[in-house]
Amino acid sequence: MSKTIAINAGSSSLKWQLYAMPEEKVLAKGIIERIGLKDSISTVKFDGRAESQTLDIVDHVQAVKLLLEDLLKFGIIQDYAEITGVGHRVVAGGEYFTDSVLIDDEVLAKIEELASLAPLHNPANVDGIRAFKEILPDITSVAVFDTAFHTTLPEVAYRYPIAEKYYQDYKVRKYGAHGTSHYYVSRQAAEMLGRPVEDLKLITAHIGNGISISAIDGGKSVDTSMGFTPLAGPMMGTRSGDIDPAIIPYLVAQVPELENAADVIDVLNKESGVLGVAEASSDMRDVEAGRASGDAKMTLAFDMLVDRLKKFIGQYFAVLNGADALIFTAGIGENSDQVREAVVEGLSWFGMKLEPGKNVFGAVGDISTADSKVKVLVVPTDEELVIARDVERLKA
Ligand code: AMP
């Protein structure tokens, strides 16, 4: 039995999950938050226990050291030699990476080079990779890219209607994101439907704090709502999603505290979307509670989110010229029967109908009626498992 760690490093956090492979058994998982700040918090969950500690962690190397020491301390492993592989989620793979890869110096240099496409994420991913290389230099190290699954997009979908030089010289194109999630849930859905993914047209709706919708034809991503960056698409928890780009210079000219385009982008990333409209929260549970008690802003945020989701899903019915199934996943997609109901209700013309008794909290699998032309499925996503599987695949 070998043990593999899946790592998801953010700018100030590091999420991890330890698997026994090939059994795919989760042995432990955890998160280290507030890296580089005072009072960092590390939480380890294993055997039904949750252990938290607060201490100052200056960087990702120290975070990795702490997580490895905790694995020993809590008896989850007896020796570092038991860990044979690590898989790192990397947000931007650009046009270089169409699949997961073993990480060598050249790969690492490319991931660093791609930081301009994901300035918040790729440098953190590189820090995580370096930290493991320093502490466990001999284990299999794999990069799993959020963008890889979307490298099958046809040019008609990935190009923006702007002059070619901006694509050729500056690499401005749609890259998408959440690729591991769209890949995983499309395969799970095919299994649930009892049909080969190659025969299916699927629309996958990853609706969490970040949101992306994908059109998947025969197992391949052919369009997706995130764009050059993860700011594009439907409105999200704190991100605006698609807006008229002319708003950006207008706000710079009009609003004293917004000095340049980067300031506006920051607002569009962090203070917009559901949070911008609802004001009190970006959390869908709060929004649903507010809506139930008649709060106008919460109700508008809910309705606007459903409106944007419907429009993107509708677009992808057009891209695919019909679909066999719509798949809901991620925090909201998996848990909110209200969002699912409102979205499907508003798209009933396309031939989708929910079975009321099935569209309930905790539902997994087919939630549509037997005669629903387009099936509607809830499929819990598992990006960490895809990462662990890719480490196994590339180790062989
Ligand atoms: P994620 O980014 O996938 O972790 O999803 C986070 C989002 O899922 C947040 O907006 C949560 O409010 C939402 N969420 C989690 N559980 C529920 C629930 N039971 N009902 C509605 N939304 C939920």
Side-chain angles (χ1 to χ4, degrees):
M1 180 175 83
S2 62
K3 291 175 182 145
T4 292
I5 301 191
I7 296 289
N8 184 352
S11 52
S12 66
S13 68
L14 190 136
K15 268 192 247 167
W16 59 272
Q17 198 145 314
L18 180 73
Y19 287 89
M21 298 298 282
E23 302 89 323
E24 301 185 346
K25 181 170 179 245
V26 179
L27 300 173
K29 60 181 170 181
I31 180 165
I32 301 174
E33 293 163 282
R34 296 177 54 85
I35 297 171
L37 303 171
K38 272 205 87 56
D39 298 332
S40 319
I41 307 159
S42 172
T43 308
V44 182
K45 291 185 181 167
F46 63 103
D47 285 346
R49 280 168 67 185
E51 299 283 345
S52 272
Q53 54 184 319
T54 304
L55 66 174
D56 294 345
I57 299 169
V58 295
D59 59 17
H60 286 74
V61 176
Q62 205 186 338
V64 170
K65 276 193 184 131
L66 176 73
L67 99 79
L68 292 171
E69 281 163 15
D70 279 352
L71 293 178
L72 286 177
K73 185 170 91 187
F74 294 124
I76 299 162
I77 60 169
Q78 307 307 318
D79 193 312
Y80 289 159
E82 292 168 34
I83 302 171
T84 54
V86 57
H88 298 270
R89 173 189 181 211
V90 177
V91 168
E95 291 187 319
Y96 292 131
F97 300 107
T98 57
D99 192 2
S100 303
V101 286
L102 290 167
I103 302 172
D104 57 17
D105 290 346
E106 198 183 323
V107 168
L108 196 55
K110 287 210 170 95
I111 296 172
E112 278 192 296
E113 180 194 320
L114 291 165
S116 58
L117 299 179
L120 297 179
H121 294 99
N122 271 36
N125 303 149
V126 168
D127 287 345
I129 293 169
R130 286 231 163 86
F132 267 90
K133 286 237 179 244
E134 196 177 315
I135 301 166
L136 297 175
D138 299 324
I139 65 174
T140 304
S141 175
V142 169
V144 179
F145 299 92
D146 252 28
T147 47
F149 182 55
H150 299 304
T151 53
T152 49
L153 255 61
E155 190 168 8
V156 70
Y158 74 67
R159 283 283 298 277
Y160 287 111
I162 54 176
E164 189 182 356
K165 65 181 175 192
Y166 299 117
Y167 166 55
Q168 294 297 351
D169 301 345
Y170 300 95
K171 301 290 169 219
V172 176
R173 53 160 285 177
K174 180 182 278 199
Y175 294 102
H178 290 146
T180 17
S181 178
H182 291 290
Y183 167 82
Y184 178 77
V185 300
S186 59
R187 270 59 191 171
Q188 289 291 108
E191 226 165 82
M192 288 172 179
L193 293 167
R195 291 174 61 188
V197 75
E198 290 75 19
D199 293 351
L200 292 167
K201 292 179 181 188
L202 302 172
I203 299 172
T204 47
H206 178 114
I207 314 172
N209 225 335
I211 297 179
S212 66
I213 318 285
S214 285
I216 300 176
D217 196 352
K220 290 193 171 127
S221 175
V222 293
D223 208 347
T224 194
S225 62
M226 280 182 170
F228 178 63
T229 74
L231 181 54
M235 68 193 263
M236 311 180 204
T238 64
R239 284 171 250 175
S240 63
D242 292 353
I243 60 160
D244 181 343
I247 292 170
I248 297 171
Y250 176 79
L251 288 179
V252 172
Q254 301 292 325
V255 183
E257 64 269 27
L258 298 176
E259 288 181 2
N260 50 42
D263 286 348
V264 182
I265 293 293
D266 212 45
V267 166
L268 297 179
N269 264 312
K270 297 179 186 157
E271 298 167 22
S272 303
V274 171
L275 179 65
V277 179
E279 289 183 340
S281 176
S282 66
D283 193 303
M284 194 43 60
R285 285 164 289 205
D286 297 335
V287 171
E288 288 181 353
R291 178 176 176 246
S293 63
D295 182 292
K297 289 184 179 181
M298 296 287 198
T299 304
L300 180 62
F302 182 94
D303 291 346
M304 282 177 67
L305 176 65
V306 168
D307 172 78
R308 301 312 191 269
L309 291 171
K310 278 190 328 195
K311 285 173 183 164
F312 270 92
I313 294 166
Q315 274 186 44
Y316 293 158
F317 272 107
V319 166
L320 295 168
N321 196 12
D324 296 293
L326 168 66
I327 294 135
F328 285 102
T329 193
I332 299 170
E334 289 169 31
N335 295 303
S336 173
D337 45 280
Q338 293 184 38
V339 168
R340 292 193 302 248
E341 186 186 331
V343 168
V344 174
E345 179 73 43
L347 294 168
S348 58
W349 184 84
F350 289 88
M352 281 188 288
K353 210 164 150 203
L354 289 183
E355 182 72 57
K358 288 188 179 166
N359 182 35
V360 292
F361 178 75
V364 172
D366 190 350
I367 55 168
S368 51
T369 57
D371 64 350
S372 184
K373 195 169 83 181
V374 179
K375 293 281 146 200
V376 184
L377 272 60
V378 177
V379 181
T381 194
D382 196 340
E383 291 161 281
E384 288 75 18
L385 180 59
V386 176
I387 294 173
R389 283 179 180 168
D390 276 1
V391 175
E392 281 295 290
R393 172 165 65 90
L394 292 168
K395 213 196 273 178

